[in-house]
Amino acid sequence: MEIFKKYKIRNIFFISFFLFVTVLLVVIIYVTYHLSTRESINTTLKHQEEKLNLLSEDLSSELDNYHETSIGMSRQNAFQNLLRVSNQGNSQEDRRLRSSVNLDFSNITYSVPGLHSVSIYMEQPPSNGPHPVQYKPLSMLEEGWSKKLNNTSSGWLDEREIQLYFDFDTENVMSYGRNVYSARGDRQAVLVLNISTSYIEEWMQERSDHSRLILLDGETSVLSRTTSISIPEDTQEYLQETAVRFQEEQGFSNQASREGNHLVVSTAIPGTDWTFIEITPMEELTEGGREIAGWLTIIGTISIIVALLATLYLTKKFTNPIMYLTKVLNKYPLHDISGELPTDYKNEFGQLFQGYRQLIHRSELLYQSLIDKNRRQRKAEIKALQANINPHFLYNTLDQLNWRAIERGDDDMSRMMELLGKMLRIGLSKGESIITVQNELDYLRHYLELQKIKMEDTLSYEINEGEGMFRYLIPKLTLQPFVENSIIHGFPDSKDSFIQLNVMENEHDLVFELIDNGKGIQHMNTNTSHSDTGGYGIKNVNDRLHVYFGYLANVSLYSNDTGGTTVRITIPKITDKAFFEQSDVVHLERRKDRDVEGRDY
């Protein structure tokens, strides 16, 4: 990365460690806060669900008492007779029965906890007195109550405000109504038990354990609560939907949700359309997580400060030797710095200083060898400049001989001089040992043309090459020794000599296939050391190919079934001369391991 190349190691190390510790601390605090908060919410949620279930069952049992009380009161003989007599107009019997009902119902009202009063809606109600039993005309029954009691024998009605029977004060009550039917099935009256709301509130306060409980009716109106916390609008909509669902299920169920900044747990009360809910502000649930996060922040801050001081100290200790080494090396080579490099380090820095001492020593030796080499090179350049005179002399001499042959009318000699000059130019190649395949083929054509004149047209040849051969490189004079070997050893007495050269390529290699119709390989001697036989030239080609390409090149010779010899030369496809500058053995072995896999040489 560029950052490690551009800035000082000391600064990079220090800043990187600071950022790492800071990010790690933030992640730990974040994860710890959220895990502790989630665990607190889950624990609270489970506890609240269990508590609300128990409260719901207790309240349901408490409300069942009013249900049973209403049944007993509706079946009382005096009450049944009062309803029957009031319709007959017997005033004396009516007064007696009314007094008995008032007494019995008053005793029940006083004995049942929370029962505030009893309201009786009938066709012809008697007058009311200073007692908890109140008579009202059936026509005064509220329309909403009629709908609720229309298809059921009893049910909980709305919360309302009634006047106390002994003074003019009012009190909030929750009413439970029961239809009273005649023997023919007609509704004679509606018995309404008024339960004091304050009693329900006291009952909830005793069991709330400082919880924020709210009791809602089927219309999501608040019947009772233990907290003054306001319900957000979105939470009210959620509670209304929950109450409707509880009414549709008509059974015991519960639901928990996070609405806004509050955790809301709601439970339906069996046998009613009421809903118990508990609202807990999220800030209370996350208080423990915030406290833990705060302590972690304090501890982490102290840890970062200590770690930064330790990092600063260690950074200096680790980078000071490097800084000193850089300072000393800036003096080299103007000054001898061997004595300035410390010798008391026994660790990796000691190895580093020792390595630089050895490097300086080798540099001095190398510098001296370069001076000697430069002196020898200057001498070689002078000799090379003198040697360049010879090729020009040969060109000029061949050119003069060519013109002399033309003047005398010796066309074959002129042609041979021309071909020899072209071969000489390609062969010299300005001192280059690597030429293009195209130049190598041109050299071969000139040589074959020269041999064709020499053999008085008893030699014919064919060169088949693909397009783009000018792109690929080959060591100079790779093909000519094999052609020369075929002419010398394959055609000593043949009058119809033929040589064919096919140049092919595959994905990785160039393949040169040289075919002749001579006597075959069994009559050839390719191991001779005499240069005039061609054997030395073939050995030279093998050695040069091995130097340049290692095991990536291959030369094979074999006799044809129809007579003659085939030579197959395989070399890599190379287009860059820089390849031939990397010809050391290790490089060649590495290229062999990389390229030979899956290829047969």
Side-chain angles (χ1 to χ4, degrees):
M1 296 177 63
E2 292 297 330
I3 187 174
F4 292 100
K5 299 178 181 179
K6 187 176 181 180
Y7 300 101
K8 293 183 178 180
I9 297 177
R10 176 182 298 180
N11 297 336
I12 295 175
F13 183 77
F14 184 78
I15 295 175
S16 300
F17 185 80
F18 172 77
L19 293 178
F20 172 77
V21 174
T22 304
V23 172
L24 180 63
L25 177 62
V26 171
V27 171
I28 292 175
I29 295 175
Y30 178 82
V31 173
T32 303
Y33 172 76
H34 280 273
L35 289 179
S36 60
T37 301
R38 185 176 64 182
E39 184 65 22
S40 176
I41 292 176
N42 292 336
T43 303
T44 303
L45 181 62
K46 184 177 180 180
H47 172 72
Q48 290 182 352
E49 288 179 345
E50 294 176 353
K51 183 180 68 176
L52 283 185
N53 289 338
L54 294 176
L55 287 177
S56 176
E57 293 176 357
D58 290 346
L59 183 59
S60 179
S61 300
E62 190 76 20
L63 298 178
D64 284 343
N65 292 334
Y66 300 116
H67 173 75
E68 298 295 334
T69 300
S70 67
I71 294 177
M73 295 173 69
S74 64
R75 294 177 180 177
Q76 195 177 47
N77 290 332
F79 178 61
Q80 291 289 337
N81 293 331
L82 176 63
L83 295 177
R84 177 175 52 80
V85 170
S86 63
N87 295 328
Q88 296 177 359
N90 189 339
S91 60
Q92 183 177 359
E93 182 68 12
D94 180 73
R95 285 192 297 273
R96 184 183 67 79
L97 291 173
R98 182 181 58 184
S99 177
S100 176
V101 168
N102 290 339
L103 179 60
D104 292 341
F105 281 13
S106 296
N107 291 334
I108 292 174
T109 302
Y110 297 143
S111 61
V112 175
L115 185 57
H116 174 270
S117 59
V118 177
S119 299
I120 301 175
Y121 292 83
M122 50 190 302
E123 292 293 342
Q124 296 181 2
S127 58
N128 295 318
H131 46 72
V133 181
Q134 302 293 315
Y135 300 92
K136 296 182 180 180
L138 190 59
S139 58
M140 294 182 60
L141 187 66
E142 297 182 16
E143 182 179 356
W145 291 8
S146 297
K147 291 180 179 180
K148 290 184 177 181
L149 298 174
N150 189 22
N151 296 320
T152 183
S153 60
S154 62
W156 286 96
L157 308 177
D158 298 333
E159 181 184 15
R160 59 175 178 156
E161 187 180 78
I162 63 174
Q163 186 176 353
L164 300 178
Y165 56 85
F166 50 83
D167 56 23
F168 294 100
D169 293 335
T170 58
E171 185 173 352
N172 292 329
V173 296
M174 292 178 289
S175 300
Y176 181 80
R178 172 172 293 279
N179 290 323
V180 181
Y181 298 97
S182 64
R184 293 180 300 177
D186 298 330
R187 184 169 67 176
Q188 291 180 301
V190 175
L191 179 64
V192 178
L193 275 63
N194 300 313
I195 294 88
S196 176
T197 303
S198 59
Y199 173 77
I200 300 298
E201 292 179 355
E202 292 175 0
W203 183 89
M204 291 174 59
Q205 290 286 354
E206 292 176 356
R207 295 163 176 79
S208 66
D209 191 23
H210 305 290
S211 300
R212 296 176 175 84
L213 298 176
I214 300 176
L215 181 62
L216 304 178
D217 60 11
E219 303 297 332
T220 67
S221 298
V222 178
L223 297 177
S224 179
R225 64 168 65 197
T226 62
T227 178
S228 59
I229 185 174
S230 59
I231 304 177
E233 293 183 2
D234 53 351
T235 305
Q236 290 181 356
E237 295 178 359
Y238 163 78
L239 296 176
Q240 187 174 5
E241 294 174 357
T242 303
V244 172
R245 184 178 66 82
F246 288 164
Q247 294 175 28
E248 293 175 351
E249 293 178 356
Q250 296 181 351
F252 177 80
S253 61
N254 55 58
Q255 182 169 331
S257 175
R258 178 176 176 177
E259 298 296 325
N261 295 324
H262 298 85
L263 179 66
V264 180
V265 180
S266 53
T267 302
I269 300 176
T272 69
D273 58 356
W274 295 357
T275 305
F276 242 147
I277 66 171
E278 182 172 2
I279 299 179
T280 306
M282 293 299 298
E283 59 181 12
E284 292 185 2
L285 300 177
T286 59
E287 183 178 359
R290 292 197 304 271
E291 184 176 358
I292 294 176
W295 279 107
L296 286 177
T297 302
I298 296 174
I299 296 174
T301 303
I302 297 174
S303 301
I304 288 177
I305 295 175
V306 174
L308 288 179
L309 294 177
T311 303
L312 183 61
Y313 175 78
L314 292 176
T315 302
K316 289 183 177 180
K317 287 296 181 181
F318 280 122
T319 57
N320 281 342
I322 300 176
M323 300 293 290
Y324 177 76
L325 178 61
T326 304
K327 180 180 179 181
V328 172
L329 289 178
N330 288 332
K331 302 178 182 179
Y332 184 79
L334 300 178
H335 301 86
D336 183 12
I337 62 173
S338 300
E340 298 186 33
L341 296 176
T343 58
D344 56 340
Y345 282 92
K346 306 301 180 182
N347 52 15
E348 289 81 359
F349 289 118
Q351 298 176 8
L352 181 64
F353 291 132
Q354 179 62 24
Y356 270 100
R357 278 192 293 269
Q358 296 176 358
L359 180 62
I360 292 171
H361 178 67
R362 295 193 188 101
S363 298
E364 294 294 338
L365 297 178
L366 179 61
Y367 181 71
Q368 186 62 41
S369 66
L370 288 176
I371 294 175
D372 297 338
K373 182 179 179 181
N374 184 57
R375 187 182 298 110
R376 292 192 299 270
Q377 184 176 358
R378 290 178 61 84
K379 292 180 179 180
E381 288 175 353
I382 294 174
K383 292 181 179 180
L385 291 174
Q386 293 174 349
N388 286 337
I389 301 174
N390 296 330
H392 290 286
F393 171 75
L394 291 176
Y395 294 151
N396 295 332
T397 302
L398 288 174
D399 189 55
Q400 292 175 5
L401 292 175
N402 183 25
W403 283 107
R404 181 67 60 87
I406 293 175
E407 291 175 356
R408 293 183 179 183
D410 192 346
D411 295 335
D412 288 340
M413 181 60 70
S414 174
R415 177 63 174 162
M416 292 176 69
M417 292 295 178
E418 181 182 359
L419 292 172
L420 186 60
K422 292 181 179 181
M423 289 178 60
L424 182 60
R425 291 183 182 275
I426 297 176
L428 293 175
S429 302
K430 299 180 180 179
E432 295 287 342
S433 59
I434 304 299
I435 62 175
T436 65
V437 173
Q438 191 65 55
N439 287 339
E440 179 73 7
L441 295 179
D442 289 341
Y443 183 87
L444 194 60
R445 286 189 183 94
H446 301 329
Y447 175 76
L448 287 170
E449 286 291 333
L450 190 62
Q451 294 300 321
K452 186 176 180 181
I453 297 173
K454 176 183 176 183
M455 298 173 67
E456 298 180 352
D457 291 331
T458 60
L459 172 67
S460 61
Y461 67 91
E462 180 181 339
I463 297 178
N464 301 316
E465 59 176 301
E467 297 181 357
M469 289 298 107
F470 65 89
R471 296 181 301 162
Y472 303 119
L473 302 176
I474 187 172
K476 184 170 55 179
L477 297 181
T478 297
L479 302 177
Q480 188 271 340
F482 293 96
V483 175
E484 180 182 3
N485 202 66
S486 295
I487 294 174
I488 295 175
H489 298 283
F491 311 131
D493 301 320
S494 177
K495 294 183 180 181
D496 295 319
S497 304
F498 178 74
I499 295 177
Q500 180 180 348
L501 175 63
N502 299 319
V503 183
M504 300 167 287
E505 63 175 310
N506 55 36
E507 182 180 359
H508 300 284
D509 304 313
L510 290 175
V511 180
F512 301 91
E513 189 176 62
L514 183 65
I515 306 171
D516 65 44
N517 61 348
K519 293 183 178 182
I521 195 172
Q522 64 270 19
H523 298 286
M524 298 172 58
N525 181 14
T526 60
N527 295 322
T528 179
S529 61
H530 298 291
S531 60
D532 58 349
T533 63
Y536 178 80
I538 294 176
K539 183 178 183 302
N540 179 272
V541 171
N542 275 310
D543 292 342
R544 286 191 295 125
L545 291 181
H546 180 72
V547 170
Y548 284 121
F549 304 110
Y551 292 95
L552 299 181
N554 183 46
V555 179
S556 58
L557 292 82
Y558 52 88
S559 295
N560 301 328
D561 296 337
T562 58
T565 305
T566 296
V567 179
R568 180 182 286 267
I569 305 171
T570 304
I571 64 172
K573 292 196 295 188
I574 306 299
T575 59
D576 188 0
K577 286 188 178 181
F579 173 88
F580 297 95
E581 299 175 1
Q582 304 171 353
S583 57
D584 57 274
V585 177
V586 176
H587 179 76
L588 289 173
E589 291 296 331
R590 185 166 63 249
R591 287 187 303 193
K592 172 199 170 192
D593 295 339
R594 181 190 64 199
D595 296 335
V596 166
E597 182 179 358
R599 298 166 58 185
D600 184 11
Y601 287 102

